[in-house]
Amino acid sequence: MSGPRHLVSIDDLSLAEITQLFEHARHFSENLRDSAEICRGLIAASVFYEPSTRTRLSFESAMLRLGGGVVTAADMNASSASKGESLADTVRVVSGAYADILVLRHPSEGAARLAARYSNVPVINAGDGSHEHPTQTLCDLYTLWIEKGRLEGLDVVLSGDLRYSRTIHSFVYALARFGANLVCVPHQGLELPDYVVKRLREEYGAEPQAADASRLGDLASSSDAMYITPTKPHQLSLYTEAQRGLRLVDHVDAVYMTRPQTERFGESDSASNYIHLDTDIMSGEALREAVVMHPLPRRDEISPEFDADPRSIYFKQAARGVPIRMAILGMLLGRLDFEHSPRPHLEATYPVKLGANPCPNMGCVSHTEIRQAPAAYRIVSRFPVRAVCAYCSRELNLTLVGSVGTPEAFRPDASKARRIEPSELVFFRDSAEAISAGFTVGSGT
Ligand code: NCD
């Protein structure tokens, strides 16, 4: 009964599976031109609604190196999408006789989750709006694993546009799960979104703390740095370097730089005085052993003169996109051996039964493909009741909750809310909405 295995979020993989992907990728990197039997006879389709160089070409190269074939729709403006075809219909067509696996890039958040619902073959998320980019994250983790030999306990600076960079979002979740520490050094106004920080806290047990980043010199001079550690707070007290309540950052293993994602900027966003990393900035003692990474493309945020520095590894990182994507394709197509490990559990999804779409994210596919992506939710906590959008995983703002067929609505932290079955849940943004749906607003907690 289980359908094909998809890779939509980095959370769709267990840590054991990710580590096995690294092992396979390392093997492929040593046998790049000698693996052409693995996917012989299979076809990958690239369906790209946004520009791409590395992601699309490395996937296609990976499939060709595995002996498979590729079909490409690299410019969906030249496809039937320009005639008004929905994403769901495109996916239904391509995931049949046309291809055995689908690699999708789309500007709407949650688009890959929607595609997975309609696809007969595995769907790989190659970037959905500013939501996630799990295969770039696998490439980034693999690069760190090769360069540093481990992920646990690494101190990784994330710099630039932390707000709209999908590569950052998938990366921070994975780094936290592997036990790495995050040092956020954002461009002002482009900080890590609150919903990402909240998720790091609530789902991964990570603790954010203000950071003293003075030892990072100009790298952090115009930024309010934040230190996020998955280490339990009682262990934090073992650190002697905590100063004035700030966590001192005096040693960095990697700097991950990002470009301003101007194509997703709102009217109030600006990239003026954006960070510019160069040899001078990287001369501080705290950065002596830090490798510099970037998902690319870069604009001005890393000076070309720094390319000659042995710590600049962004081109090696891009090259590693091929062997890691060979491993991803081989895994999802069932052509590689993976030791059995429990898959991460994905909670059931339920359609929203009453009222307007409660997803607060207007960039979500549930707002852009309204007919094909009817509002739906997953429960992430039964008490207090917390739910997220089934597509983009953004938390729903629940003011009142009720149960279908009952007359009363409660606050999500009321004790009666605990008894509501997830599949029976209805949400209200305020009491007026509850009352107009025929509910009375319960007082009890
Ligand atoms: C990234 C992306 O598309 O999110 N590029 C990539 O896949 N390597 C980063 C970016 O565009 O800045």
Side-chain angles (χ1 to χ4, degrees), residues 82-393:
S82 68
K83 301 181 197 166
E85 183 168 58
S86 69
L87 172 62
D89 281 0
T90 303
V91 166
R92 279 190 180 116
V93 170
V94 178
S95 73
Y98 295 16
D100 304 290
I101 193 159
L102 204 141
V103 183
L104 174 75
R105 173 168 285 189
H106 196 277
S108 294
E109 300 191 27
R113 191 66 76 196
L114 169 70
R117 279 194 174 186
Y118 286 92
S119 177
N120 300 310
V121 301
V123 171
I124 299 178
N125 181 6
D128 57 339
S130 53
H131 184 220
E132 283 211 41
H133 193 346
T135 69
Q136 179 66 46
T137 287
L138 289 168
C139 176
D140 301 340
L141 295 170
Y142 173 56
T143 295
L144 273 177
W145 183 77
I146 294 277
E147 298 287 332
K148 300 285 174 181
R150 69 191 161 102
L151 296 170
E152 192 181 347
L154 293 182
D155 286 302
V156 182
V157 167
L158 305 159
S159 190
D161 181 351
L162 309 191
R163 180 162 180 204
Y164 296 110
S165 292
R166 54 195 172 199
T167 65
I168 289 282
H169 303 156
S170 297
F171 198 32
V172 296
Y173 300 138
L175 287 171
R177 283 170 72 201
F178 272 106
N181 304 307
L182 319 172
V183 184
C184 297
V185 177
H187 176 79
Q188 212 181 15
L190 300 177
E191 290 84 12
L192 206 56
D194 289 345
Y195 71 87
V196 175
V197 177
K198 189 163 185 220
R199 191 159 160 205
L200 283 169
R201 283 185 100 124
E202 290 177 1
E203 289 177 40
Y204 307 88
E207 269 308 310
Q209 194 182 355
D212 171 357
S214 53
R215 304 263 174 98
L216 303 185
D218 282 349
L219 180 68
S221 61
S222 59
S223 176
D224 289 331
M226 180 163 68
Y227 190 89
I228 304 180
T229 177
T231 316
K232 296 279 172 294
H234 70 272
Q235 285 172 289
L236 257 187
S237 59
L238 297 176
Y239 290 94
T240 50
E241 71 266 48
Q243 285 184 342
R244 292 175 277 120
L246 298 178
R247 175 64 184 263
L248 180 69
V249 182
D250 59 359
H251 173 265
V252 170
D253 295 291
V255 175
Y256 189 93
M257 185 56 66
T258 52
R259 126 189 114 81
Q261 309 282 303
T262 41
E263 68 274 35
R264 289 191 264 280
F265 272 17
E267 275 178 11
S268 56
D269 297 315
S270 157
S272 57
N273 300 320
Y274 200 78
I275 179 131
H276 179 80
L277 187 149
D278 57 17
T279 309
D280 263 4
I281 282 198
M282 289 299 296
S283 64
E285 183 54 26
L287 296 165
R288 201 163 54 88
E289 292 177 0
V291 290
V292 175
M293 300 169 68
H294 192 304
L296 303 176
R298 85 173 135 181
R299 296 213 303 222
D300 295 328
E301 57 279 358
I302 300 180
S303 159
E305 67 158 26
F306 187 70
D307 298 353
D309 189 297
R311 292 169 297 172
S312 76
I313 59 163
Y314 24 89
F315 293 115
K316 272 201 229 170
Q317 182 187 352
R320 288 179 182 136
V322 174
I324 195 74
R325 289 184 169 103
M326 290 169 81
I328 296 166
L329 289 166
M331 176 193 186
L332 294 176
L333 287 165
R335 295 297 173 103
L336 292 178
D337 286 338
F338 271 76
E339 261 172 45
H340 175 74
S341 76
R343 288 187 190 182
H345 170 70
L346 192 65
E347 302 90 352
T349 64
Y350 307 101
V352 169
K353 286 165 279 298
L354 274 183
N357 179 0
C359 177
N361 174 13
M362 294 314 288
C364 173
V365 73
S366 65
H367 290 290
T368 57
E369 300 257 336
I370 303 167
R371 296 205 356 237
Q372 320 279 346
Y377 63 92
R378 283 187 284 125
I379 300 291
V380 290
S381 154
R382 289 287 299 268
F383 187 74
V385 179
R386 285 179 51 231
V388 298
C389 170
Y391 303 97
C392 73
S393 353

